[in-house]
Amino acid sequence: MSVSVEKYALALADDALISSQRLGWWISRAPQLEEDVAMANIGLDQLGQARALLSLVGESTGRSEDDLAYLRDEREFRNVCLVEREQGDFAVAMARLLIFSAWQHELYAALSASTHPTLAAISDKAVKETAYHLDHATHWVLRLGDGTDESHRRMQAALDAEWPWREELFDNTFLDQPLNDAALTVDGMVVDPAPLREPVEQRLGAVLDRATLTVPEPRAVFSKGRDGRHTEVMGYLLAEMQHLHRSHPGVTW
């Protein structure tokens, strides 16, 4: 596996792993019992994607998926900052899931045609899962955005807060080799995230219009998670996620 493909797979794995950790927080806290189950299932789908991708990375690095998930420090993680941010309001979780699943769905749809057989197989499964995630988030954004004055206000506020952080999803500068402007790179293995902006934002715009929400004005944020520079909450997230494994090295269920 080339260095670029390894870095690419690690970035996608970390996106899914950290998003899964955040989604798991909602179990027992979601507004409905059925939503507890739904959030858990979406989180487990993303955990499965992360495990498959970390195993792929481990083939060339000699590290297990557990080593990569639990024994790396904050600066070694390559997830976008969007997925690690705090989420005290359910509307924030749904705004983030809408943006992230819309991007993941486009990405995995294109990546399922990868010439790398393992990446293609992982993506072929993930594109079906992310279609469900996107549908679920769309349902809640429509319900909250086009609901009461209070739900509309909180859904718009959540969208305004999360929207600027989507920019990093389309940044391809973390890859080693230059990319062309087609869906796949020259070697056909990985997908350039930059051309995904148009289809992703068209899809998001259609949902926000139906939800009577306003597309936020552009606002710059410092988001360099792909370079290992994370927000201040990342350390707390990793402390919780890695505590058991680091406290009891080698423990098994």
Side-chain angles (χ1 to χ4, degrees):
M1 188 164 57
S2 72
V3 174
S4 288
V5 173
E6 177 189 308
K7 289 180 65 175
Y8 188 82
L10 184 62
L12 300 189
D14 287 347
D15 286 346
L17 179 64
I18 300 303
S19 177
S20 174
Q21 179 72 11
R22 281 296 189 221
L23 288 165
W25 184 86
W26 284 101
I27 299 172
S28 81
R29 296 182 174 93
Q32 299 172 345
L33 180 60
E34 294 87 348
E35 193 59 21
D36 279 354
V37 178
M39 296 292 264
N41 284 333
I42 294 171
L44 286 172
D45 284 345
Q46 296 200 356
L47 183 60
Q49 294 162 17
R51 291 189 62 184
L53 289 163
L54 288 176
S55 294
L56 175 62
V57 174
E59 290 176 4
S60 60
T61 62
R63 304 178 73 181
S64 70
E65 61 184 79
D66 279 357
D67 290 344
L68 291 166
Y70 298 126
L71 298 179
R72 281 184 295 153
D73 294 327
E74 179 180 330
R75 293 297 296 264
E76 296 177 275
F77 277 80
R78 293 294 180 264
N79 57 282
V80 292
C81 291
L82 171 72
V83 296
E84 72 194 37
R85 285 164 40 77
E86 288 195 273
Q87 47 168 14
D89 194 315
F90 183 71
V92 172
M94 288 302 104
R96 186 178 306 168
L97 183 61
L98 178 72
I99 295 168
F100 185 54
S101 61
W103 176 80
Q104 275 194 315
H105 187 63
E106 289 292 335
L107 176 86
Y108 285 127
L111 200 55
S112 62
S114 170
T115 55
H116 192 290
T118 305
L119 273 180
I122 293 170
S123 302
D124 194 49
K125 181 173 183 289
V127 73
K128 301 178 182 70
E129 296 170 342
T130 54
Y132 164 73
H133 305 169
L134 178 57
D135 182 68
H136 189 80
T138 297
H139 163 78
W140 274 107
V141 170
L142 292 174
R143 182 175 175 180
L144 297 175
D146 196 22
T148 66
D149 290 344
E150 175 65 9
S151 72
H152 178 89
R153 181 189 67 77
R154 289 169 65 172
M155 193 66 244
Q156 184 67 58
L159 186 66
D160 291 346
E162 298 305 290
W163 191 257
W165 299 87
R166 85 199 186 290
E167 285 293 331
E168 194 178 4
L169 294 170
F170 308 113
D171 185 356
N172 61 14
T173 57
F174 71 101
L175 295 172
D176 288 338
Q177 61 188 38
L179 305 174
N180 61 18
D181 60 359
L184 294 173
T185 60
V186 174
D187 60 11
M189 288 191 180
V190 303
V191 172
D192 182 347
L196 301 181
R197 178 188 294 275
E198 183 176 352
V200 169
E201 298 205 341
Q202 280 184 353
R203 186 187 292 268
L204 293 175
V207 174
L208 301 186
D209 183 58
R210 289 173 58 201
T212 70
L213 295 165
T214 303
V215 175
E217 292 293 325
R219 178 166 62 88
V221 298
F222 183 83
S223 187
K224 289 291 182 182
R226 292 282 193 243
D227 295 334
R229 289 182 283 178
H230 296 280
T231 63
E232 62 182 8
V233 299
M234 184 65 170
Y236 296 102
L237 184 152
L238 291 181
E240 182 177 85
M241 189 180 82
Q242 297 179 334
H243 168 71
L244 184 64
H245 192 87
R246 286 181 181 266
S247 299
H248 305 281
V251 68
T252 58
W253 292 101

